[in-house]
Amino acid sequence: MEKEMRELTQLLNKYRHDYYTNDNPSVSDAEYDKLYRQLVKLEEAYPEFIAKDSPTQGVGGLILSGFEKYQHPYPLYSLQDAFSYEELLTFDRRVKAEFPKATYIVELKIDGLSISLTYEKGKLVTGATRGDGSVGENITENLKKLKDIPRTLSEPLDITVRGEAYMSRQSFQQINQERQENGQTEFANPRNAAAGTLRQLDTSIVGKRNLASFLYQEASPSQELNQEGVLKKLKRLGFAVNDRYLMTSSMEDIWHFIEEIESEREKLSYEIDGIVIKVNNLAMQEELGFTIKAPRWAIAYKFPAEEKEATLLSVDWTIGRTGVLTPTANLTPVQLAGTTVSRATLHNVDYIAEKDIRVGDRVIVYKAGDIIPAVLRVVSDKRSSQQAMVIPKLCPSCGSDLVHLEEEVALRCINPLCPSLIQRSLEHFASRNAMNIAGLGPASVEKLYKAELIKDVADLYRLDLESLLTLEGIKEKSAEKLLSAIEESKEKSADKLLFGLGIRHVGAKASKLLLEEFESLENLIDASESAIASIDGLGSVIANSIHEYFAKKESHQLIAELKEVGVNLKYLGKRVDKTAQLFGMTVVLTGKLEQMNRNDAKAKLEELGAKVTSSVSKKTDLVIAGSEAGSKLDKARSLGIEIQDEEWLLNV
């Protein structure tokens, strides 16, 4: 029986692949259903022989307790965006300067949720979200519910692949119709619906919503020579691959393809938000390398934002965590890029003055970056006799005078006791990139502040269960979770704390650089402005901001209170060894390495204290050249830069 069940499982999986992935059914629905029922009966009689990849195992649902964090073995980078033909030409010139004969593969940019799938010996072991590119969420059980994601590949490979999970337009319309009939809130757009679905803890719901996928990248080291070969390999292995792509070396051809796709965009069964252009040759991709955020061998052309006309009804003025006054327009509702928009940013008071925006105007609204609704301009020929907009002179939160600093385009409240400023600062402190205190969102912060349980971030660490339970809507379980998250945050590395303090101009990256250098917050406080400014990547603006912040006695008192309640003030990340052999040197990798992959080579160089960059210049100290090294090696020789090979790096 085991053999018969195995054969039925393999046959049904083949038919599923033909139907869902190749869009080419090889048997009738009646024949498939007959075989499926036959397998169900056998599995009921012999449950000990049920295969993990049996199609019957995707029918029921698990109730998950939550999602574990997943460390990606290969980082997921975002793409550099382009919005014009000129920007594409700039990209082309940069690529062709190093590889004059480079060709491109041009793919559709699916508007879905990025996923990563890892297989061992051909079996799906992990499916994860993109997350921040380094750490995502393990959503394996939910991704198993996508009918076009194979649990077993056609070859027993160890491989990690990337792609997009999406919801088709038809499925989106059906789900929203059902939600409307059931009195539920409708999903804003297919992408949000797909993302919300994959974060369901009830896997049976995922199975009912008919998500689909397109896979497009082999993240683990590939034996293929080019991206087109990767797509063909993925299809051969059983993945759904989008066959609509273009191969060319001409930007003119690419622009014609973009125009063609844009004209057909609304006819596609799925949503796209642009076109991705990649260097086809994988060796060239490796040579071009990456910036901190994005590959240098790819670019995403984003379609122009959709624009709609609406009436500006009124303006809300709010204070952010740095005291900046932000105007938000209330509009007559319009449908924009798949969502209903009734509010949009007006940026700042200078923007309002420049565009002469007035209450009552007909205005053009768009989504900046396809995300944030914003007012673009006034439809001036539809204006009646509105008066110029009244700009507040007093803070809407605390009533203090607003100031308009010369170097800024915004009005600012500089009252350190402003309620809105304090609440936004607390929210920032608890945010994911800072102290990551789960459960401490805007609503919780507002309740705690209004109940006078917190007035600054140090007060968070003095909260107790008894005081939390006095707040309306706070139950014992959620209070305990919040206290646990606050307690865990005490152990964060001090660079997270520094970023959480919300010092002007000091972002997450600057915070890490500062604490890597000074090793503790206390050392940073004692550091001179010139010592801070001398750190590579920072400068005088950040140094001055740090110096001004810690010159205040209130800041010293806050740090002392944080130390007193047990918050860690030391840097816990990896430190650069200043005695390392290559400390302070700028190194470029070029050519094909035989014994190391490029990520391993880069990691070793960084362990040796080097800064690894992608292009050769007068600032380059060393070039590591593999076989088939091209223009970078020639440039290094012309500049008299030291050149070493892979063998040297292995033995250093």
Side-chain angles (χ1 to χ4, degrees):
M1 283 301 145
E2 183 178 5
K3 182 181 177 184
E4 183 181 351
M5 289 168 68
R6 185 67 215 153
E7 288 173 351
L8 271 173
T9 294
Q10 291 174 344
L11 187 61
L12 287 166
N13 281 339
K14 177 187 180 301
Y15 293 156
R16 281 159 59 89
H17 175 68
D18 292 342
Y19 185 90
Y20 291 110
T21 304
N22 293 339
D23 198 21
N24 184 27
S26 51
V27 294
S28 67
D29 289 350
E31 177 65 16
Y32 180 90
D33 291 341
K34 177 183 173 184
L35 293 172
Y36 186 89
R37 287 193 297 272
Q38 185 178 335
L39 179 60
V40 169
K41 286 181 180 179
L42 287 170
E43 288 182 345
E44 287 173 350
Y46 305 97
E48 67 272 22
F49 297 142
I50 297 175
K52 288 184 178 179
D53 61 342
S54 168
T56 65
Q57 300 308 293
V59 177
L62 300 172
I63 303 298
L64 307 175
S65 59
F67 299 109
E68 295 177 351
K69 298 297 181 186
Y70 177 73
Q71 179 73 47
H72 292 293
Y74 309 98
L76 286 82
Y77 290 86
S78 55
L79 291 173
Q80 176 192 345
D81 288 336
F83 299 92
S84 68
Y85 185 46
E86 288 69 28
E87 289 176 282
L88 295 183
L89 290 175
T90 299
F91 168 75
D92 182 49
R93 283 193 293 269
R94 179 166 55 76
V95 170
K96 297 287 178 64
E98 296 193 37
F99 297 102
K101 295 183 180 179
T103 58
Y104 300 109
I105 183 166
V106 189
E107 305 170 21
L108 306 192
K109 188 173 183 297
I110 310 302
D111 194 10
L113 183 75
S114 294
I115 57 172
S116 176
L117 306 171
T118 297
Y119 291 77
E120 293 177 3
K121 296 181 180 178
K123 304 289 184 183
L124 177 63
V125 293
T126 307
T129 62
R130 180 186 187 280
D132 63 5
S134 297
V135 178
E137 288 182 312
N138 186 330
I139 56 167
T140 308
E141 294 304 321
N142 279 346
L143 287 172
K144 284 179 179 178
K145 296 298 178 182
L146 275 64
K147 295 172 183 175
D148 59 4
I149 289 182
R151 295 195 187 184
T152 304
L153 303 180
S154 61
E155 299 173 31
L157 300 179
D158 292 345
I159 190 172
T160 297
V161 297
R162 301 271 161 73
E164 295 283 321
Y166 68 92
M167 182 176 286
S168 70
R169 295 179 194 270
Q170 182 180 1
S171 293
F172 175 69
Q173 290 169 358
Q174 288 174 347
I175 288 169
N176 264 356
Q177 185 176 344
E178 290 171 8
R179 293 177 73 84
Q180 188 180 48
E181 290 169 356
N182 294 331
Q184 296 172 292
T185 304
E186 295 179 40
F187 286 118
N189 52 53
R191 188 193 182 284
N192 286 358
T197 297
L198 285 176
R199 298 203 80 258
Q200 284 284 337
L201 295 178
D202 184 347
T203 63
S204 66
I205 294 176
V206 184
K208 293 173 184 175
R209 288 187 177 170
N210 295 319
L211 297 187
S213 67
F214 282 124
L215 279 295
Y216 54 73
Q217 181 189 1
E218 186 175 355
S220 46
S222 178
Q223 300 302 311
E224 300 300 318
L225 297 177
N226 52 52
Q227 171 64 9
E228 186 176 30
V230 168
L231 293 180
K232 290 177 179 177
K233 175 181 178 177
L234 294 177
K235 191 168 186 177
R236 186 175 72 247
L237 290 173
F239 295 107
V241 173
N242 196 315
D243 292 323
R244 190 74 183 273
Y245 62 83
L246 171 72
M247 293 291 305
T248 183
S249 60
S250 163
M251 276 295 147
E252 189 176 349
D253 288 348
I254 290 173
W255 190 250
H256 288 320
F257 182 76
I258 287 171
E259 292 178 325
E260 178 185 325
I261 294 298
E262 191 170 8
S263 68
E264 300 173 12
R265 183 180 176 188
E266 296 306 316
K267 297 176 185 176
L268 296 172
S269 62
Y270 46 86
E271 292 208 344
I272 61 173
D273 59 353
I275 300 293
V276 178
I277 301 154
K278 303 173 184 174
V279 172
N280 188 41
N281 185 286
L282 298 187
M284 289 181 186
Q285 286 187 10
E286 191 173 349
E287 180 84 2
L288 287 163
F290 297 81
T291 65
I292 293 174
K293 295 182 179 179
R296 297 178 69 247
W297 42 264
I299 195 165
Y301 173 81
K302 302 294 288 290
F303 294 130
E306 183 183 5
E307 298 177 0
K308 287 288 180 68
E309 189 176 309
T311 299
L312 198 162
L313 302 173
S314 63
V315 177
D316 292 334
W317 301 88
T318 55
I319 296 292
R321 68 176 178 86
T322 61
V324 169
L325 184 73
T326 301
T328 302
N330 295 306
L331 310 163
T332 51
V334 290
Q335 282 292 312
L336 193 63
T339 63
T340 300
V341 170
S342 58
R343 287 169 62 81
T345 181
L346 287 163
H347 301 293
N348 52 63
V349 291
D350 281 11
Y351 186 83
I352 291 171
E354 178 193 342
K355 301 291 184 181
D356 189 22
I357 300 170
R358 307 179 185 185
V359 173
D361 277 339
R362 293 291 287 175
V363 294
I364 299 299
V365 188
Y366 75 112
K367 278 194 175 179
D370 280 340
I371 298 173
I372 303 169
V375 173
L376 179 63
R377 63 179 183 276
V378 173
V379 184
S380 53
D381 58 357
K382 292 186 179 180
R383 170 175 285 168
S384 53
S385 58
Q386 291 93 329
Q387 293 182 339
M389 191 177 296
V390 177
I391 305 298
K393 294 181 179 179
L394 302 177
C395 172
S397 179
C398 68
S400 300
D401 289 336
L402 296 169
V403 298
H404 196 165
L405 302 178
E406 286 184 13
E407 71 274 17
E408 295 187 333
V409 296
L411 283 171
R412 187 184 293 275
C413 174
I414 57 173
N415 173 17
L417 300 178
C418 173
S420 287
L421 194 152
I422 293 171
Q423 288 179 62
R424 300 298 86 74
S425 297
L426 287 161
E427 290 165 19
H428 171 73
F429 185 83
S431 64
R432 188 162 72 172
N433 290 331
M435 298 298 271
N436 194 20
I437 303 175
L440 196 62
S444 299
V445 166
E446 185 177 8
K447 282 182 182 179
L448 290 165
Y449 184 80
K450 287 185 174 179
E452 299 183 355
L453 293 177
I454 54 173
K455 64 179 186 300
D456 61 28
V457 297
D459 286 337
L460 291 170
Y461 298 96
R462 301 188 183 98
L463 291 172
D464 55 42
L465 186 61
E466 185 179 353
S467 58
L468 287 177
L469 292 177
T470 63
L471 300 176
E472 185 181 350
I474 301 290
K475 304 297 183 186
E476 186 169 349
K477 190 173 181 180
S478 59
E480 288 174 346
K481 281 186 175 180
L482 176 57
L483 290 172
S484 176
I486 291 171
E487 189 65 25
E488 286 176 16
S489 75
K490 291 180 180 179
E491 306 302 320
K492 298 285 183 187
S493 181
D495 56 301
K496 301 292 186 182
L497 173 59
L498 179 60
F499 176 56
L501 293 176
I503 302 169
R504 274 190 82 196
H505 307 302
V506 182
K509 184 181 175 184
S511 297
K512 192 170 187 296
L513 289 172
L514 285 160
L515 269 297
E516 279 178 351
E517 176 68 24
F518 295 109
E519 299 185 347
S520 76
L521 208 56
E522 290 160 315
N523 290 344
L524 175 62
I525 291 169
D526 293 335
S528 67
E529 193 171 336
S530 59
I532 295 170
S534 66
I535 298 173
D536 187 31
L538 299 185
S540 60
V541 173
I542 289 175
N544 180 255
S545 193
I546 290 277
H547 191 259
E548 282 189 355
Y549 180 84
F550 287 118
K552 299 172 184 174
K553 64 178 182 180
E554 296 90 350
S555 300
H556 282 268
Q557 184 179 340
L558 176 62
I559 300 303
E561 289 180 24
L562 289 169
K563 184 178 181 179
E564 184 183 333
V565 295
V567 176
N568 171 60
L569 303 183
K570 296 184 182 298
Y571 178 63
L572 303 178
K574 285 186 178 180
R575 292 184 178 86
V576 176
D577 182 0
K578 294 184 180 180
T579 64
Q581 187 170 341
L582 302 181
F583 176 74
M585 294 180 68
T586 299
V587 181
V588 172
L589 287 163
T590 184
K592 184 178 179 182
L593 303 178
E594 303 296 334
Q595 300 176 66
M596 310 172 76
N597 65 43
R598 193 163 291 259
N599 285 336
D600 291 341
K602 183 180 178 185
K604 181 166 185 181
L605 286 166
E606 288 175 343
E607 284 176 10
L608 291 167
K611 177 183 177 183
V612 182
T613 61
S614 58
S615 57
V616 176
S617 71
K618 291 179 181 178
K619 294 182 179 180
T620 304
D621 299 300
L622 172 67
V623 169
I624 308 295
S627 60
E628 301 176 23
S631 59
K632 292 181 184 179
L633 180 58
D634 295 336
K635 188 171 182 180
R637 285 173 176 154
S638 70
L639 293 172
I641 294 167
E642 180 185 352
I643 298 166
Q644 297 289 354
D645 59 14
E646 182 181 8
E647 198 65 33
W648 178 89
L649 179 58
L650 285 165
N651 295 317
V652 71

